[in-house]
C-alpha cells in the first residue's frame, strides 16, 4: 500500500509533457494560393485563439504547422472555423481592475486567426481572444476585409473613480443595418440593448435578414452524469498519546465496506473533453476496530489488549477537477483532485479496557463535519466505463485531534449521456 501511495503522488507530480498529445479531427486548410486541402486538424482545447495549428493531409501523413501568415483559412469540420487576418488589433484593457486613466486608443498590427461566430448573407461575425481581452470583428462579403467592433472602457481623467464606457460598436452596427436595408425600429432597439458579447450574433442575423446556421455546431453535450461503486481499505487510527496516556502497540482499525457515488461532469470543451469539472456526492459506511496495549498493563503483569470500535456513515460532497493526460475516444487516462466536505454519523462507539475488563461508551468526540482532499487516478473506456483508484491522505476526524481517517479505494463507474 505504501508503494501505491507513492505511485499515486508521483502521478500527480508527473511532468505535463503529455499536454502536447494530439487530437486530430477531419478538417481543411486554404493555402495562400487559394487551394483547398482536406485532411485532419489537431483540435485543441483552445482558451484563446490559436497562434498556429498542426495539419495532416491524411491520417498517415506527417504533421505540418501553419500560422496565419502561411494559410488563409482552416476549419475543424462541424466544430470551428477560422480566418487568417493581418491588421490592427486594439490593445486597451477592459478588465475593470486594469483600466487606463483616460481613453486608450492603442493597437498593434499582428497576424492572427479570427474565429467565426456567425455567418450570413451580408456580414459575418468573428472574434479574437488573447490574454488581454476578447474582441469582435465584422467581415463584409463585398470586400472580405475584417474590421474590429470598438468597445472601450476607462477611468475619467479628472475623476478616476468614474468609469467611462464607449460603445462605438453600436454605431458601427447601425451603419451596417442601414447599408443592408435592415434599419428597422426593432433592430435599432436590439443594437442599443446589445452587450459586447455573444448577443451580437442575434444582431448579425437581423442585419442578414435571416437566421444563418451557427458557426459552431458542437454535437456533444457539455455535461454528463455518472454513477459508481467503490471499495477498499478505510482506516481510523488512534493516537499513541492522547494528552494524558501514552499507548503502546497501537493498531489502526480498518473497514472494507463498499460505497456508492453519483456525479455530474462539466466539460470545458465537449469535443475535446480533456479538462472536466466534477460535482460528486458519495456515501461510504465503515465499521472499524482499533487495538492497543492497555496502559500500565506491564505494571500489573498484564498483556491484555484494549479495543476501540466505531461505525461511521459518511455523506460526501466533492467539487473536483479531472484532467485526461491521455485522451482518445476509446481510452483515457486521467488524474483528479478535489476537496471533499464530509458529514458523518457515528454509532456503536465504545472502548473496551482489557486491563480492567470495562467498557466505556461515547469515549471519543468525533467530528460530524470534516474536510478531506482525495486524489484519484483512473482510466475511461469508450467514454463510458471508468476504473479508478482514490487515496485520501490522513485527516483528523475527532474534536480532540487524536483520531485520524485515511482510505485507499478502488472502484468502477459508468457515464450516462456521453458518446
Amino acid at each position: 500500500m505504501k508503494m501505491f501511495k507513492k505511485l499515486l503522488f508521483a502521478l500527480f507530480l508527473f511532468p505535463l509533457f503529455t499536454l502536447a498529445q494530439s487530437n486530430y479531427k477531419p478538417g481543411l486548410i486554404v493555402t495562400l494560393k487559394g487551394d483547398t486541402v482536406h485532411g485532419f486538424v489537431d483540435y485543441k482545447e483552445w482558451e484563446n485563439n490559436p497562434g498556429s495549428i498542426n495539419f495532416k493531409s491524411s491520417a498517415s501523413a506527417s504533421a505540418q504547422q501553419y500560422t496565419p501568415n502561411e494559410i488563409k483559412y482552416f476549419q475543424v469540420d462541424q466544430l470551428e472555423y477560422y480566418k487568417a487576418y493581418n491588421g490592427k488589433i486594439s490593445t486597451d484593457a477592459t478588465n475593470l481592475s486594469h483600466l487606463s486613466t483616460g481613453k486608450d486608443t492603442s493597437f498593434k498590427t499582428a497576424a492572427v486567426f479570427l474565429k467565426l461566430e456567425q455567418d450570413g448573407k451580408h456580414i459575418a461575425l468573428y472574434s479574437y481572444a488573447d490574454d488581454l481581452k476578447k474582441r469582435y470583428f465584422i467581415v463584409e462579403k463585398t470586400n472580405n476585409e475584417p474590421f474590429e467592433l470598438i468597445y472601450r472602457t476607462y477611468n475619467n481623467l479628472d475623476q478616476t473613480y468614474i468609469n467611462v464606457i464607449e460603445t462605438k460598436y453600436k454605431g458601427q452596427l447601425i451603419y451596417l443595418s442601414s447599408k443592408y436595408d435592415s434599419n428597422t425600429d426593432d433592430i435599432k432597439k436590439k443594437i442599443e440593448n446589445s452587450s459586447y458579447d455573444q448577443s451580437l450574433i442575434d444582431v448579425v442575423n437581423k442585419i442578414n435578414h435571416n437566421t444563418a446556421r451557427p458557426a459552431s455546431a458542437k454535437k456533444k453535450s457539455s455535461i454528463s452524469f455518472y454513477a459508481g461503486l467503490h471499495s477498499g481499505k478505510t482506516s481510523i487510527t488512534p493516537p499513541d498519546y492522547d494528552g494524558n496516556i501514552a499507548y503502546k502497540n497501537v493498531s489502526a482499525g480498518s473497514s472494507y465496506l463498499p460505497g456508492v457515488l453519483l456525479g455530474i461532469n462539466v466539460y470545458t470543451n465537449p469535443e475535446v473533453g480533456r479538462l472536466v469539472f466534477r460535482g460528486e456526492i458519495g456515501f461510504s459506511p465503515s465499521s472499524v476496530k482499533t487495538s492497543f496495549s492497555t496502559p500500565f498493563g506491564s505494571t500489573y503483569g498484564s498483556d491484555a489488549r484494549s479495543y476501540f470500535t466505531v461505525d461511521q456513515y459518511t455523506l460526501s460532497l466533492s467539487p473536483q477537477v479531472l484532467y485526461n493526460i491521455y485522451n482518445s475516444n476509446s481510452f483515457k487516462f486521467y488524474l483528479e483532485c478535489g476537496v471533499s466536505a464530509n458529514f458523518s454519523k457515528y454509532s456503536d462507539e465504545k472502548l473496551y479496557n482489557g486491563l480492567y475488563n470495562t467498557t466505556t461508551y461515547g469515549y471519543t468526540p468525533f467530528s460530524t463535519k470534516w474536510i478531506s482532499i482525495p486524489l484519484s487516478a483512473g482510466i475511461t473506456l469508450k467514454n463510458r466505463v471508468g476504473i479508478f483508484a482514490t487515496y485520501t491522505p490522513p485527516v483528523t476526524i475527532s474534536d480532540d485531534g487524536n483520531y485520524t481517517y485515511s482510505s485507499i479505494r478502488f472502484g468502477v463507474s459508468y457515464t450516462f449521456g456521453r458518446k
Side-chain angles (χ1 to χ4, degrees), residues 203-393:
V203 174
V204 168
N205 278 332
K206 288 287 186 181
I207 294 174
N208 284 321
H209 301 285
N210 59 31
T211 54
R213 63 161 177 81
S216 297
K218 293 182 171 59
K219 294 182 178 180
K220 292 184 179 179
S221 172
S222 61
I223 65 171
S224 65
F225 299 89
Y226 64 94
L229 297 172
H230 57 90
S231 184
K233 182 179 180 181
T234 297
S235 301
I236 293 180
T237 306
D240 293 320
Y241 176 71
D242 67 4
N244 295 306
I245 300 173
Y247 299 94
K248 294 188 291 184
N249 303 319
V250 174
S251 175
S254 299
S255 175
Y256 299 89
L257 294 177
V260 297
L261 54 87
L262 297 170
I264 182 173
N265 295 314
V266 180
Y267 304 90
T268 56
N269 186 327
E271 295 297 332
V272 179
R274 186 181 293 278
L275 180 64
V276 186
F277 293 97
R278 281 185 158 183
E280 184 175 285
I281 181 170
F283 177 74
S284 301
S286 60
S287 180
V288 301
K289 180 179 181 180
T290 72
S291 63
F292 46 88
S293 295
T294 303
F296 314 123
S298 59
T299 303
Y300 297 96
S302 171
D303 294 324
R305 296 282 286 172
S306 293
Y307 304 94
F308 176 78
T309 63
V310 65
D311 294 338
Q312 180 193 55
Y313 306 91
T314 301
L315 181 70
S316 301
L317 303 177
S318 307
Q320 301 170 0
V321 178
L322 180 152
Y323 188 84
N324 287 298
I325 290 181
Y326 184 87
N327 186 45
S328 70
N329 285 329
S330 59
F331 179 86
K332 301 178 188 292
F333 170 68
Y334 67 84
L335 298 180
E336 181 179 5
C337 184
V339 177
S340 181
N342 306 291
F343 305 88
S344 295
K345 182 178 180 180
Y346 303 88
S347 65
D348 198 28
E349 179 194 345
K350 57 189 176 184
L351 174 67
Y352 170 72
N353 189 315
L355 178 62
Y356 299 108
N357 195 27
T358 60
T359 300
T360 303
Y361 295 89
Y363 176 75
T364 299
F366 278 106
S367 304
T368 58
K369 301 176 184 178
W370 49 285
I371 300 294
S372 60
I373 303 178
L375 309 173
S376 298
I379 62 174
T380 305
L381 306 175
K382 301 291 186 179
N383 283 323
R384 294 290 191 186
V385 178
I387 303 171
F388 62 89
T390 300
Y391 171 58
T392 301

Side-chain angles (χ1 to χ4, degrees), residues 122 173-174 176-188 191 203-209:
H122 302 298
L173 291 171
I174 288 175
L176 289 170
S177 69
S178 298
K179 183 175 180 179
Y180 295 107
D181 299 323
S182 305
N183 199 22
T184 63
D185 290 339
D186 177 60
I187 196 169
K188 286 180 181 178
I191 291 172
V203 174
V204 168
N205 278 332
K206 288 287 186 181
I207 294 174
N208 284 321
H209 301 285

